[in-house]
Structure formats: structure tokens, C-alpha cells
Amino acid sequence: MRLNELQLAELASELDEVKAGVMSQLGDKEACYIRRILLTQRLSAISGRILMVLGFLTPWLWVLGVALLALAKILDNMEIGHNVLHGQYDWMNDPVLHSQRFEWDIACDAGSWKRTHNFEHHTYTNIIGKDRDFGYGLLRLSNDFRWRLRNLWQFVTYLLLSTLFQWGVSYHELAGERVFFGKKKPDRINSVSHSDLKKAFFGKGARQLFKDYVFFPLIAGPMWLWVLSGNLVANIIRNLWTSTVIFCGHFTADVHTFTQQQCEGESRGHWYYRQILGSSNFTGPRWFHILTGHLSCQIEHHLYPDMPALHYLTVAPQVQAIAKKYGIAYNSGSFLRQYATVVARIIRYSFPGGASTA
């Protein structure tokens, strides 16, 4: 359903009201919540690393240690890092949880993430040619892109991207700026020099490799191989999980894409309209939502990226009711159902043609 300008203005007003109701009451509840999650993450990381070293007593301790370390990395990446870097807790003025100071436990430099994700992706969500997150330059996920021979094996590409996801995210900005090869697109504006991009990429990546595959194995002494392999497995688990969550929020069967012409001079109401149609939610228990960083409510996150994510479940029924009122499709379903449509989409667009999603 296409909305006229009056309807878009009314849509914006109602969605702004939902946000204002939450943001006006931020306080101890949200601060205690994120600090409790941070404490859980740190205790999981410490316990996991200790238990991996104790794996010589029984392999089950190593398995438990890997699981706890993977949990710590997932919490750091999703419920803490992603949300903190969106500025959701800047109002607390906590130096540990402030978007300008926080650095997370993945290969991607926080500054690069904020440029490509916070600004570019959230501003131009699903606008073909503007949102580099739509397929990450590797996958053809709509017929807006010309089919190429390499798309035939893009499901394998997807599996490799998911396994190495933190490195794909880290390299994303460099690839977009074509730092190592090719020419930069003429309409691309560089906010950071190529030398600074490379410095951040190699510097953060080297620190991550040293921490997980040199420092912690070395201090484990004779258990160094157990710790090294445990860190590798924990990183892979985190990569696969975060990739799956992100793909289920962005690339299900029913998400829409938009042309640059459709979004020229768009109003705030049209931006809201685009966020709803370009996103997907999925359901699950409370602990599941926490592990996704509440990106299980991707629609609400795209509408309100700076709202503390623990409120997304609360405002979701209000957002759904508003979307229904204006005849806007609200894409939500079970996690497995949504993931199945992601896989189907990747496979479908491996071949020429495909239905329009605009």
C-alpha cells in the first residue's frame, strides 16, 4: 500500500509518540539492566577461560568453558556492543558504556562500524546503491542486481561469510572504498583517509588475533592448544550466531528494496515506512531476545536505533498496531521460519531473474 504525504506525516507523528513515551522515562531500570548484562558477560568470559584450562581434568570442562566464552562473546557483540555503539546508553555518561569510548571484542574497529552501519545502513536502509549492507557486496539478494556467474555458488559464499563474519564486517568499509583494488566510485564521499582505514583494520585485527591465539594460549602453558582451539570454536559460534540473527532481520522473503529515485527528498514518515518494509522480526523466549541483542525486533530497532533495546519487545505491539492501521506489512514469524526464507532467498537469487521486492 502506498501512503500519501498526509498519511506519512500522521504515521511519523504516531511512531514519534511511541518513542517519546519510552525515552522520557529512562533511568535506573535501564542502567541496572545493561550493567547486569555487562557483569554477566564478564563473569562468563572469565569462567569460560578458566574452565578451558581445567579441561585436562575432563573434556567436559573444556566444552563448558567454550560455551561460556561463546556466550560472553555473543553478549559483548549483540546486547552490549551493538546497542552501546548506537548510543543507547550515552545518557548514563558511563565511560565504559558510552558510544564514543566503547570498543568491542570483534575484529571490526568500532569507528568503522559506526560509519558503515550506524550512519550508512540506518540512513539508507535497503536503498539499492546506497545501502552496502544489502548483500554485503557478495550476495545477490534481489533482481535489483545483475546476475553474474559467481552467484551460482553464493550459498557457499554465504556459509563462508557467516563462519568468518567478524572479518567480513571488519573488511566491509575497506571493500566499499576499494582501498586495495579497483577505483573508488565517483559519488563516494570519504570521511576517513585510506591510510587511516587500513591502520584501523590491521591494528584492530592484529590485536584480536594476538589476544585469542597468542596471549591466552601462552599463559595457559601446557594447555595452550586446548585454549587456542577453544578460542577458535567460541569465535566461530559467535560469528555463526550473529550472522544468522542479522540475516533473519534483513533478508527474509518479504523484505522490500527501494530505488534511489523513490527516496529522493523523503519525509520522516517515508523513512519510517521504509524501515518497516525493509525489516523482519522473529519470535522466541526472553533469553533468546537477549542473545540476539533484541535484533529479533529488527523493525523496532530500525525505527528507534538509539532506544535502549530492552524496550523493543514492549513497543513492538504498538508499532504493529500502527503498521496495521496504515496498511503496512509487519513481517514477523518464528526464528526457524524466517531463517528458512533467508536460505530460500539466497538460493533463489543464485539464478537469473526473480520477483521484484520493491
Side-chain angles (χ1 to χ4, degrees), residues 48-355:
R49 294 193 183 282
I50 291 173
L51 288 172
M52 283 195 295
V53 175
L54 296 177
F56 69 91
L57 296 175
T58 170
W60 289 111
L61 289 178
W62 180 84
V63 171
L64 179 58
V66 171
L68 284 170
L69 183 59
L71 171 63
K73 286 177 176 287
I74 288 170
L75 289 175
D76 175 87
N77 196 169
M78 305 299 279
E79 186 70 345
I80 300 170
H82 173 266
N83 294 331
V84 166
L85 289 175
H86 266 296
Q88 294 181 7
Y89 298 97
D90 283 1
W91 54 272
M92 291 171 55
N93 292 317
D94 185 324
V96 176
L97 296 167
H98 198 282
S99 62
Q100 298 303 311
R101 303 179 185 89
F102 187 86
E103 189 58 71
W104 49 0
D105 182 25
I106 67 170
C108 180
D109 170 65
S112 178
W113 171 266
K114 285 187 286 187
R115 288 188 296 272
T116 58
H117 178 80
N118 289 14
F119 172 71
E120 190 173 282
H121 171 61
H122 277 269
T123 302
Y124 305 116
T125 309
N126 288 25
I127 299 178
I128 302 303
K130 300 284 283 185
D131 181 8
R132 286 184 282 177
D133 279 16
F134 196 83
Y136 298 99
L138 295 171
L139 307 175
R140 178 179 182 263
L141 298 175
S142 77
N143 64 0
D144 301 291
F145 297 93
R146 180 171 59 88
W147 182 85
R148 298 180 179 181
L149 183 61
R150 70 183 187 189
N151 296 126
L152 279 176
W153 54 85
Q154 72 174 14
F155 188 73
V156 175
T157 303
Y158 161 69
L159 294 177
L160 290 173
L161 174 63
S162 295
T163 304
L164 303 171
F165 197 60
Q166 67 165 330
W167 296 100
V169 170
S170 179
Y171 186 66
H172 191 37
E173 186 175 24
L174 284 167
E177 298 295 350
R178 301 183 181 184
V179 170
F180 295 115
F181 56 89
K183 293 182 179 179
K184 177 184 164 184
K185 292 184 177 180
D187 62 343
R188 181 73 66 196
I189 299 174
N190 233 11
S191 59
V192 180
S193 70
H194 284 185
S195 62
D196 285 342
L197 287 178
K198 287 188 284 188
K199 181 179 179 181
F201 172 76
F202 288 114
K204 182 65 189 297
R207 290 194 296 273
Q208 289 298 115
L209 290 172
F210 177 80
K211 174 178 67 70
D212 279 339
Y213 305 121
V214 178
F215 176 74
F216 280 113
L218 276 179
I219 64 174
M223 291 296 292
W224 69 271
L225 185 58
W226 289 70
V227 170
L228 187 149
S229 58
N231 288 343
L232 176 63
V233 173
N235 279 325
I236 291 175
I237 292 172
R238 185 271 317 282
N239 289 347
L240 292 173
W241 175 250
T242 56
S243 170
T244 303
V245 168
I246 290 170
F247 271 68
C248 284
H250 294 84
F251 308 126
T252 57
D254 297 326
V255 296
H256 289 232
T257 59
F258 302 84
T259 66
Q260 296 183 42
Q261 291 72 27
Q262 287 175 314
C263 303
E264 286 181 358
E266 72 176 352
S267 64
R268 181 164 182 79
H270 189 272
W271 183 85
Y272 275 141
Y273 171 80
R274 178 162 53 83
Q275 302 306 318
I276 297 173
L277 288 178
S279 314
S280 306
N281 284 8
F282 43 94
T283 57
R286 179 65 179 176
W287 61 265
F288 175 82
H289 292 291
I290 293 172
L291 289 182
T292 70
H294 286 91
L295 293 181
S296 48
C297 297
Q298 188 70 57
I299 294 172
E300 286 67 34
H301 174 61
H302 273 164
L303 293 173
Y304 311 122
D306 58 347
M307 176 189 289
L310 75 158
H311 289 290
Y312 290 157
L313 286 170
T314 303
V315 303
Q318 301 174 62
V319 171
Q320 187 171 10
I322 293 170
K324 183 178 180 180
K325 175 181 176 180
Y326 290 94
I328 306 171
Y330 186 92
N331 185 4
S332 184
S334 71
F335 179 63
L336 291 179
R337 175 189 172 278
Q338 296 290 52
Y339 184 62
T341 70
V342 169
V343 172
R345 186 176 190 131
I346 294 171
I347 294 174
R348 172 64 193 90
Y349 288 103
S350 297
F351 303 98

